[in-house]
Amino acid sequence: MTSPPATHEPLSRTARATRTRILEAARRELGRNADSSLGDIAEAAGVARRTVYAHFAGRAALLGGLAAEAGEAIRGAIADIDTSAPDAARALARVVLTLWPVGDRYRTLIGLARQDLETNGFSELLTPVRDMVAGILARGQRQGVFHTGVPPGPLSRALEAHILALLDSVNSGVWADDGSGTATTALIAAGADRVVAASTVRRLCDANQPGCQATRARNSGAE
């Protein structure tokens, strides 16, 4: 007789709070030192090391937990992005500005993902964004807003690498940005006119674009 598949009981409110605290500590500690141990993370979270292991079997599982958390944030962010506007440049800028705070929050994970994509699966989490951006690029190419030398799919990948490189610059402390600089250069890299790119991003930020303003507010509070 075949045994029924194992089921996992949902976490209690206390267990969920502990798991969240561990993930927050991991994000902070790994941001300070990518080689932080589980013991360092446990201490930062104010829990015993065995408590960390009760939630995550090891470092790979912990990174997977951070990746899952980042995935939820990405899905939540893109769900609120309206890309139906006919202005492709504005739509692309909106995507970059909206997702910048998410990337800023998880930029350490992105750096670790480059070292070990197999472990935390972060690359796959970007697939919905790639598809969304490719659709915007295709529309912009038809409109003559973006250059047509590279198909939308590969161009989307190129812009992704561009944005991740700028996030890495922020992570290493060699640059600071609220997302507006990155959005502007992403438009230019896609083929938009420099003046159009700058004015498009500026109008979005002046109109209280959520992502741009959220990042500015956090940066202001940290000063």
Side-chain angles (χ1 to χ4, degrees):
M1 180 176 178
T2 304
S3 300
T7 58
H8 298 279
E9 293 294 330
L11 294 175
S12 67
R13 181 178 300 177
T14 300
R16 286 198 303 272
T18 300
R19 180 185 172 89
T20 298
R21 190 161 72 249
I22 292 170
L23 288 172
E24 285 291 327
R27 190 173 54 79
R28 292 195 309 271
E29 292 304 303
L30 291 171
R32 285 193 281 265
N33 179 8
D35 295 323
S36 294
S37 67
L38 292 185
D40 296 330
I41 292 168
E43 182 178 355
V47 301
R49 183 169 177 168
R50 65 177 178 275
T51 302
V52 175
Y53 278 106
H55 289 272
F56 305 101
R59 181 182 175 87
L62 181 59
L63 290 177
L66 282 172
E69 186 181 74
E72 290 182 11
I74 290 171
R75 288 190 294 272
I78 64 175
D80 294 332
I81 300 176
D82 180 11
T83 61
S84 62
D87 186 342
R90 184 181 180 88
L92 179 57
R94 189 184 296 280
V95 170
V96 176
L97 289 170
T98 300
L99 287 174
W100 180 263
V102 179
D104 185 48
R105 179 177 176 81
Y106 294 100
R107 61 178 185 261
T108 299
L109 175 63
I110 293 170
L112 292 172
R114 288 180 172 182
Q115 300 173 27
D116 194 351
L117 289 174
E118 293 296 328
T119 297
N120 56 53
F122 190 83
S123 181
E124 287 71 22
L125 300 179
L126 298 177
T127 299
V129 180
R130 292 175 188 144
D131 293 343
M132 175 181 285
V133 170
I136 295 171
L137 291 172
R139 187 165 77 244
Q141 288 178 339
R142 291 193 298 270
Q143 295 172 351
V145 175
F146 301 140
H147 61 70
T148 58
V150 181
L155 183 55
S156 176
R157 287 288 192 131
L159 292 180
E160 175 187 315
H162 167 84
I163 293 168
L164 291 179
L166 293 182
L167 271 171
D168 188 57
S169 295
V170 172
N171 196 37
S172 60
V174 300
W175 191 49
D177 186 34
D178 64 355
S180 59
T182 298
T184 301
T185 59
L187 291 180
I188 294 171
D193 176 80
R194 291 175 179 271
V195 174
V196 171
S199 63
T200 297
V201 173
R202 186 172 58 250
R203 286 197 302 271
L204 282 171
C205 286
D206 289 345
N208 297 318
Q209 166 64 32
C212 182
Q213 296 301 320
T215 309
R216 285 182 175 179
R218 190 174 74 251
N219 289 343
S220 298
E223 293 176 353

